[in-house]
Amino acid sequence: GTPAIPALMDNAHKRWGSKEWSSLFDDAIKLSENGFSVSAKLAASINRDAKRLAVFKTTKDYFLPNGSGLSHKEIVTNHAYAKTLKSIANSGIDVFYRGEIASDIIETIKNANGNQGLLEKRDLENYKIIERPPICVDYKKYNICGMGPPSSGGIAVGQILGILNNFDLKVLGSSNPMSWQLIGDASRLAFADRDRYLADSDFVSVPVKGLLDTEYLHSRSNELKIGIKAESIVSGNPAFDQVLNYADDISLEFPSTSHISIVDSYGNALSMTTTIENVFGSRLMTKGGFLLNNELTDFSFKDQKNGTLIANRLEPGKRPRSSMAPTIVLKDGQPKLVIGSPGGSNIIGFVTNSLIAFIEWGMDVQQIVSMPHAINRWGIYEIEHSSQSKSLQDSLEKIGYKTKLRKYSSGLNAIVIDLQLEGGSDPRREGIAL
């Protein structure tokens, strides 16, 4: 896919930036030239993916020098990347999309033995960011705002909360299996709608208002009964202004992403999720010292199912559907919580569960990013290993759910804005609150 973040950063700086553009690159250039310490997670990821990282020479030479992977705490430089950053810092973003860096990207893609891509120079030259309105829903006394299509995150989070608005999760409590039964079935309903209707709204008609309509979500909530598993979960029929007839989506959507939450001294709030898709993207590394994405795996590679078109099918110029859910929670019009996470389609559950823990169960910011995960997307209830997992697993299985105990590598990063700022970072990754 066409790299997008440099164009976004350039646009954001022109609109809101207060510092000199070139100065923003100083720290990253120093780390690239003087070296950074390889983290435990990076070392483990390299070791796990060594076979694929070894396919392309430039990638292999960097991540597997002398035939073995970079080790934990090893100091590593990236002079090629420092040169790239200096070029963007001094010449602006055009050098990335139209200059030497653009040529390097295309050359890397065209010369990838056995894995040549279709990206052309004109794709880079013609790339434009698109500003879209946020997706906002009311939940209890809060206004939850997230990202709209082509991300499915904001709508799915809004739908789950809208369905759960009709139940008293506060009274049920965080340790009650019935709370998780309701959350899980509300998630299954949202994912059924997501798989059918969500895609790039510039290419297909996405019934955003219909999917978030209070009456529609109330009707969906009627399918949930406390203590009884919802057996038949299918997409609903939201109100729409064009004919909708899509088949359920089939896409890979690999779970490797990053998230930052920021609040500055003026009260501005940022929630940003970014990704090159899989852990090392396409495994193609340019001479400029950076990896290229494999973002197209977020599309459905099948155009249709039983003769019915799939909304998220691959098309030229189209942006792939994601599950990114950067979220800002407002109360009385003011930011109260800034949150988001990596994790593929699990992002929706990570963020929703944290919002419920904050709003309904009164947990503090570190607790909401640390609590054990329990997520049900398509029928199997996946539960994170913890001291409570066996009890929850037994309770859900008695109701009739298939369950699976597993590990998660979420990376929730959150800030609560009160009389002072309070930050929390997910202990499963290497984030930090500063």
Side-chain angles (χ1 to χ4, degrees):
T2 307
I5 294 299
L8 175 69
M9 291 288 127
D10 177 63
N11 182 274
H13 180 262
K14 284 173 179 170
R15 294 170 67 178
W16 302 301
S18 59
K19 294 186 177 181
E20 198 65 40
W21 169 260
S22 60
S23 70
L24 303 176
F25 297 82
D26 291 347
D27 288 343
I29 291 169
K30 286 177 185 175
L31 284 169
S32 299
E33 290 183 330
N34 301 333
F36 63 93
S37 178
V38 174
S39 71
K41 186 176 190 304
L42 176 56
S45 296
I46 293 169
N47 183 59
R48 196 164 46 241
D49 206 47
K51 189 174 180 180
R52 285 186 285 188
L53 290 171
V55 172
F56 306 108
K57 186 178 186 309
T58 307
T59 313
K60 180 182 178 182
D61 289 347
Y62 186 76
F63 290 103
L64 303 161
N66 306 316
S68 59
L70 299 174
S71 57
H72 181 209
K73 294 187 178 179
E74 181 177 352
I75 303 300
V76 180
T77 59
N78 189 339
H79 293 288
Y81 191 52
K83 182 181 176 183
T84 292
L85 293 177
K86 286 178 181 178
S87 183
I88 297 172
N90 296 327
S91 303
I93 212 65
D94 271 2
V95 71
F96 186 93
Y97 288 96
R98 294 176 178 81
E100 182 183 354
I101 299 171
S103 299
D104 181 23
I105 291 171
I106 300 305
E107 183 182 337
T108 301
I109 291 169
K110 298 304 179 187
N111 293 330
N113 288 336
N115 196 32
Q116 292 91 344
L118 300 175
L119 197 71
E120 301 285 352
K121 197 121 185 234
R122 65 177 176 270
D123 294 317
L124 292 167
E125 292 170 350
N126 294 331
Y127 184 78
K128 299 285 189 297
I129 69 164
I130 300 174
E131 183 174 2
R132 305 174 193 268
I135 298 296
C136 294
V137 297
D138 291 328
Y139 183 74
K140 304 301 163 80
K141 296 178 180 178
Y142 296 88
N143 189 229
I144 318 291
C145 291
M147 181 179 176
S151 176
S152 62
I155 289 177
V157 169
Q159 282 198 301
I160 297 168
L161 294 175
I163 292 167
L164 294 171
N165 227 340
N166 300 291
F167 299 92
D168 198 337
L169 293 177
K170 185 173 184 177
V171 169
L172 287 173
S174 62
S175 60
N176 191 330
M178 297 305 103
S179 291
W180 295 104
Q181 177 238 324
L182 292 171
I183 293 168
D185 279 348
S187 172
R188 290 167 67 200
L189 289 169
F191 267 82
D193 280 353
R194 167 190 180 272
D195 291 344
R196 175 151 295 191
Y197 299 120
L198 269 292
D200 187 344
S201 53
D202 287 348
F203 283 74
V204 299
S205 177
V206 181
V208 176
K209 288 183 179 179
L211 288 167
L212 296 173
D213 180 74
T214 304
E215 289 186 17
Y216 172 70
L217 294 176
H218 183 74
S219 70
R220 295 290 269 168
S221 75
N222 290 333
E223 300 182 40
L224 274 56
K225 301 287 186 292
I226 296 178
I228 301 172
K229 176 190 173 188
E231 292 295 342
S232 179
I233 297 288
V234 295
S235 55
N237 293 298
F240 48 84
D241 54 12
Q242 294 185 38
V243 175
L244 292 174
N245 186 21
Y246 301 132
D248 290 343
D249 173 61
I250 308 160
S251 60
L252 299 174
E253 193 167 5
F254 295 112
S256 297
T257 306
S258 299
H259 180 85
I260 53 172
S261 295
I262 300 173
V263 175
D264 72 9
S265 59
Y266 304 102
N268 299 304
L270 168 77
S271 180
M272 177 178 172
T273 313
T274 179
T275 185
I276 59 169
E277 190 60 1
N278 201 209
V279 185
F280 298 97
S282 62
R283 279 79 180 172
L284 293 177
M285 196 169 192
T286 70
K287 286 185 291 187
F290 57 91
L291 289 160
L292 299 177
N293 67 68
N294 65 329
E295 204 65 53
L296 300 190
T297 55
D298 268 1
F299 281 117
S300 171
F301 288 165
K302 290 188 176 181
D303 287 344
Q304 55 181 297
K305 187 176 180 182
N306 300 325
T308 303
L309 287 174
I310 293 171
N312 189 39
R313 64 190 179 276
L314 187 63
E315 296 179 88
K318 191 176 186 180
R319 285 159 162 81
R321 187 195 68 197
S322 78
S323 297
M324 294 190 284
T327 303
I328 296 178
V329 177
L330 306 169
K331 188 175 183 183
D332 300 325
Q334 297 298 313
K336 182 71 175 176
L337 172 68
V338 183
I339 193 168
S341 178
S345 61
N346 280 310
I347 291 173
I348 292 163
F350 296 154
V351 171
T352 303
N353 292 352
S354 296
L355 293 174
I356 292 167
F358 176 72
I359 295 170
E360 298 285 17
W361 300 328
M363 294 186 188
D364 67 33
V365 68
Q366 189 58 53
Q367 289 173 323
I368 69 172
V369 301
S370 304
M371 72 171 186
H373 295 307
I375 294 173
N376 194 341
R377 293 166 293 173
W378 297 292
I380 296 177
Y381 220 126
E382 297 179 317
I383 303 167
E384 186 172 24
H385 288 280
S386 71
S387 58
Q388 304 91 28
S389 59
K390 188 67 173 70
S391 174
L392 179 58
Q393 182 182 29
D394 290 343
S395 297
L396 292 173
E397 285 181 350
K398 285 178 183 176
I399 302 173
Y401 295 94
K402 291 181 179 179
T403 65
K404 177 183 177 182
L405 291 180
R406 57 165 293 181
K407 289 183 178 180
Y408 281 104
S409 59
S410 55
L412 288 151
N413 285 295
I415 302 170
V416 170
I417 305 162
D418 209 333
L419 296 176
Q420 60 183 13
L421 300 182
E422 297 178 8
S425 191
D426 199 322
R428 301 167 188 84
R429 286 212 187 188
E430 294 166 333
I432 190 169
L434 292 172

